[in-house]
Amino acid sequence: MKTSEVKTPWLWVPSLYFAQAIPYVVAMQLSVIMYKDLGVSNSDIAFYTSLLYLPWVIKPLWSPVVDMFGTKRRWTVLLQLVVAASLAAVGTVLHLPAFFSVSLAVMWLMAFSSATHDISADGFYMLGLRQKDQAAFVGVRSTFYRLATLAGQGPLVVLAGYLAVSLGDTHQAWSIVFFVLAGLFAAAFAWHQLVLPKPEADHAVAAGANPLREFFGTFASFFGKRDIWLILGFILTFRLGEAQLLKLVAPFLKDPLEQGGLGLTTAQYGWAYGTIGIISLTLGGLAGGFLISRLGLKRCLWLMVFAVHLPDLVFVYLSQAQPTSLALISVFLAIEQFGYGFGFTAMMLYMIMVSDGEHKTAHYAICTGLMALGMMVPGMWSGDLQEYLGYKNFFIWVCIATLPAFVMAALVKIDPEFGKK
């Protein structure tokens, strides 16, 4: 009996996708909260943590390397070890005078390793499971990815907040959090080395007669798609407002009232946004997926575009009223996150629709890279913009920045039957 048939997917699918999410959450969200706690300016936080998107933007460029050298299993396991070492290194350098630049350099290595791990893990998933099991475990993948997002923005942030108070040293508190993360990834490395199956199909892919031509042909076929300008416009503008909002949520919630923020402690942020908010995000995603399966993407598109963008008005209200009730703030954040989770399902399904065809895996990677580009570039200058406008006017601008997404939603073409169960 083959090894891949002996080991149940329940042993490795949940842990693999939990591990896949953690570095992304660290790079995109946890780093923002940490640097805010350590006194870095909003403009520097937004610019430099947005640059951490770059490996996910350009990962399609080196995805063929993962195919051509070694097995997906070996890539996956070894990259988890590299991520563990990177996380430990971040925890080690946080006491240095130049902790900001040094830790960013280490996190860029972690981001590069994580983006490559995404390629190998997704490829291994398709090799390690039979086709019917791949469909059956899609929900499991998504659930444990979300749970990792919850863990990264909820309990770990709460832990950092409590440690900072009890130890009286914010740098030490965040060092401990990163050592915990490193231990988690070291355990993931050991676990997956033990339980990942060894499917016979997992081997280096032989290059064709002209591999370079094949490589560029994949990109040519994507950018030669019908209505490619509409496709690019929709993917790049769908998150234009959110790309700017996301980098300033933590600074806004944590800045004191006199600076225009809401004055939450790190632990309160972990509960309100990192726990209640992420649970609402997950519930919204489940509701969005259910509705599309019943009605199809085309009929749901406008509802979901509104669901993603209208809740940004929550931050306009919060910045104007500056409520001090944690319960009230949590309710508004839950509404915003539910709307985002509900509406973002449309983008995921749209990218699947666009990618359908001979090179669907590579084309989907290109779509996700373009989406990351649409997050990275606006996020880079959002901190400078917020410092110039102030929180009240910045959140009004964010709402204005969502308008291109509505324009593109009116122009894109979608098969009326796509997405129906």
Side-chain angles (χ1 to χ4, degrees):
M1 186 179 291
K2 297 176 184 177
T3 307
S4 59
E5 294 175 345
V6 174
K7 296 179 179 177
T8 170
W10 283 105
L11 279 175
W12 58 272
V13 172
S15 56
L16 182 63
Y17 281 89
F18 188 92
Q20 188 182 92
I22 289 292
Y24 185 83
V25 173
V26 169
M28 298 302 108
Q29 279 91 37
L30 202 64
S31 63
V32 174
I33 305 162
M34 178 184 73
Y35 289 134
K36 185 64 181 177
D37 272 0
L38 299 181
V40 180
S41 70
N42 287 359
S43 59
D44 283 345
I45 290 173
F47 182 83
Y48 290 105
T49 62
S50 291
L51 278 178
L52 293 174
Y53 275 114
L54 187 58
W56 283 280
V57 173
I58 61 176
K59 72 178 182 181
L61 298 180
W62 67 83
S63 56
V65 175
V66 178
D67 276 338
M68 294 168 63
F69 300 98
T71 65
K72 306 295 188 301
R73 185 186 194 276
R74 185 177 301 161
W75 277 100
T76 300
V77 172
L78 289 180
L79 286 166
Q80 288 174 2
L81 185 61
V82 175
V83 170
S86 302
L87 291 167
V90 173
T92 302
V93 305
L94 288 181
H95 284 285
L96 297 177
F99 75 89
F100 183 53
S101 56
V102 177
S103 61
L104 275 173
V106 177
M107 277 203 273
W108 204 91
L109 171 64
M110 181 202 70
F112 180 86
S113 303
S114 176
T116 310
H117 177 271
D118 289 358
I119 298 167
S120 63
D122 290 341
F124 183 83
Y125 177 85
M126 291 184 281
L127 295 172
L129 293 177
R130 291 171 294 185
Q131 190 170 18
K132 66 175 184 178
D133 291 330
Q134 290 176 31
F137 276 86
V138 164
V140 177
R141 285 176 50 170
S142 177
T143 298
F144 278 85
Y145 196 96
R146 294 287 192 186
L147 287 174
T149 305
L150 174 62
Q153 294 191 74
L156 286 173
V157 175
V158 173
L159 174 63
Y162 285 137
L163 287 173
V165 173
S166 60
L167 297 175
D169 186 342
T170 305
H171 288 262
Q172 183 64 28
W174 279 103
S175 288
I176 292 172
V177 167
F178 272 85
F179 288 139
V180 169
L181 284 167
L184 177 67
F185 252 84
F189 161 75
W191 174 250
H192 292 133
Q193 178 68 18
L194 179 67
V195 304
L196 286 185
K198 298 179 180 178
E200 292 181 359
D202 187 15
H203 52 73
V205 176
N210 193 334
L212 195 62
R213 182 177 179 180
E214 292 176 11
F215 175 73
F216 286 108
T218 301
F219 286 88
S221 64
F222 178 84
F223 289 100
K225 286 180 180 288
R226 185 177 180 182
D227 299 319
I228 184 60
W229 294 112
L230 295 180
I231 293 169
L232 295 176
F234 188 65
I235 293 175
L236 290 172
T237 63
F238 189 81
R239 304 176 78 181
L240 179 60
E242 184 224 350
Q244 300 169 73
L245 176 73
L246 190 62
K247 290 300 177 184
L248 275 303
V249 168
F252 167 65
L253 294 177
K254 289 173 57 58
D255 268 338
L257 294 174
E258 57 270 21
Q259 293 181 20
L262 298 187
L264 300 188
T265 66
T266 300
Q268 287 174 328
Y269 173 93
W271 286 115
Y273 193 76
T275 304
I276 296 172
I278 298 301
I279 290 172
S280 298
L281 177 76
T282 304
L283 293 176
L286 292 172
F290 174 78
L291 189 65
I292 287 179
S293 71
R294 291 299 184 91
L295 302 178
L297 176 59
K298 186 176 179 67
R299 290 181 63 186
C300 294
L301 182 63
W302 274 105
L303 174 63
M304 292 188 161
V305 171
F306 275 99
V308 167
H309 299 306
L310 281 188
D312 289 348
L313 291 169
V314 161
F315 287 96
V316 175
Y317 167 76
L318 291 175
S319 63
Q320 300 285 338
Q322 291 186 283
T324 56
S325 167
L326 181 61
L328 180 62
I329 293 170
S330 299
V331 167
F332 277 109
L333 293 177
I335 292 170
E336 188 269 337
Q337 286 289 280
F338 181 89
Y340 176 69
F342 179 81
F344 186 64
T345 312
M347 172 53 71
M348 301 304 292
L349 265 293
Y350 180 77
M351 292 192 299
I352 290 173
M353 183 192 76
V354 167
S355 304
D356 193 31
E358 182 183 359
H359 303 287
K360 62 176 64 179
T361 302
H363 286 185
Y364 189 79
I366 294 171
C367 284
T368 57
L370 289 168
M371 184 174 64
L373 178 65
M375 292 292 289
M376 182 183 79
V377 176
M380 289 171 66
W381 48 266
S382 60
D384 287 327
L385 190 60
Q386 180 276 317
E387 290 185 347
Y388 176 75
L389 295 175
Y391 283 118
K392 291 181 181 179
N393 291 328
F394 173 74
F395 289 125
I396 293 172
W397 159 251
V398 165
C399 292
I400 295 172
T402 65
L403 294 178
F406 289 93
V407 174
M408 296 310 304
L411 298 175
V412 292
K413 299 174 182 178
I414 298 173
D415 179 356
E417 297 300 311
F418 184 81
K420 286 186 179 180
K421 197 168 184 178

